[in-house]
C-alpha cells in the first residue's frame, strides 16, 4: 500500500512488535517490525523509504515513530510516498487487515484523479498529521 506524504513526515508502527530490520535495501531505507504472537512465521510490517530512528531488536508500540519518510525517486511519481507492507514469510498480505474494525466501517475509499502531475494523496495509518 502506498501512502502519500511529504519527505520528513514521521512514520509510525502500525502494530506493536520488535524491529527485525532497520537499514538499507537497494539504496532505500527500510524498517521491518515483527509482530509478536502472530503465528509461525510471524507477521512482519515493512516501511520504505524510511530513515530509521529505531534499531534492530528495539520493541515498538503501535503508533511509535520508527523513522521519517525519505525523499527520492518513487514509483508514486512526483508525490513522495511511503510503501507500507505486510508479509508472512515470503507471502505478501493486505496491510489493511491490521486496521481496527471501526476504521473499516467507513464508506468505500475512492481514487482521486491525477491532475497536472499532482496525484491525490492519502495521509493515512502510519503517519502523524
Amino acid at each position: 500500500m502506498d501512502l502519500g506524504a511529504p519527505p520528513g513526515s514521521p512514520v509510525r508502527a502500525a502494530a506493536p512488535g520488535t524491529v527485525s530490520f532497520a537499514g538499507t535495501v537497494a539504496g532505500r531505507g527500510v524498517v521491518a517490525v515483527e509482530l509478536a504472537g502472530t503465528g509461525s512465521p510471524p507477521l512482519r510490517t515493512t516501511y520504505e523509504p524510511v530513515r530509521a530512528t529505531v534499531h534492530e531488536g528495539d520493541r515498538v508500540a503501535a503508533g511509535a515513530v520508527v523513522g521519517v519518510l525519505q525523499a527520492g525517486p518513487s514509483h508514486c511519481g512526483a508525490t513522495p510516498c511511503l510503501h507500507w507492507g505486510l508479509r508472512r514469510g515470503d507471502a505478501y498480505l493486505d496491510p489493511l487487515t491490521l486496521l481496527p474494525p471501526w476504521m473499516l466501517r467507513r464508506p468505500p475509499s475512492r481514487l482521486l484523479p491525477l491532475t497536472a502531475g499532482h496525484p491525490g494523496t492519502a495521509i493515512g495509518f502510519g503517519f502523524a498529521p
Side-chain angles (χ1 to χ4, degrees):
M1 171 172 287
D2 294 325
L3 303 168
S9 295
V11 177
R12 299 176 181 274
T18 302
V19 176
S20 58
F21 182 82
T24 304
V25 175
R28 296 170 57 97
V30 176
V31 173
V33 177
E34 188 174 289
L35 310 182
T38 57
S40 182
L43 291 173
R44 185 176 62 233
T45 55
T46 58
Y47 311 86
E48 68 171 282
V50 173
R51 182 176 45 82
T53 56
V54 293
H55 300 92
E56 190 172 324
D58 287 353
R59 292 181 143 285
V60 295
V65 174
V66 296
V68 296
L69 185 64
Q70 292 178 309
S74 167
H75 62 271
C76 294
T79 301
C81 67
L82 170 76
H83 181 79
W84 173 40
L86 177 64
R87 297 179 72 172
R88 183 181 299 280
D90 292 333
Y92 288 92
L93 305 171
D94 181 358
L96 291 177
T97 60
L98 295 176
L99 297 179
W102 65 267
M103 288 186 84
L104 300 174
R105 287 192 299 265
R106 294 183 169 194
S109 298
R110 59 189 169 93
L111 296 176
L112 299 175
L114 297 175
T115 57
H118 297 92
T121 61
I123 304 295
F125 196 77
F127 282 105

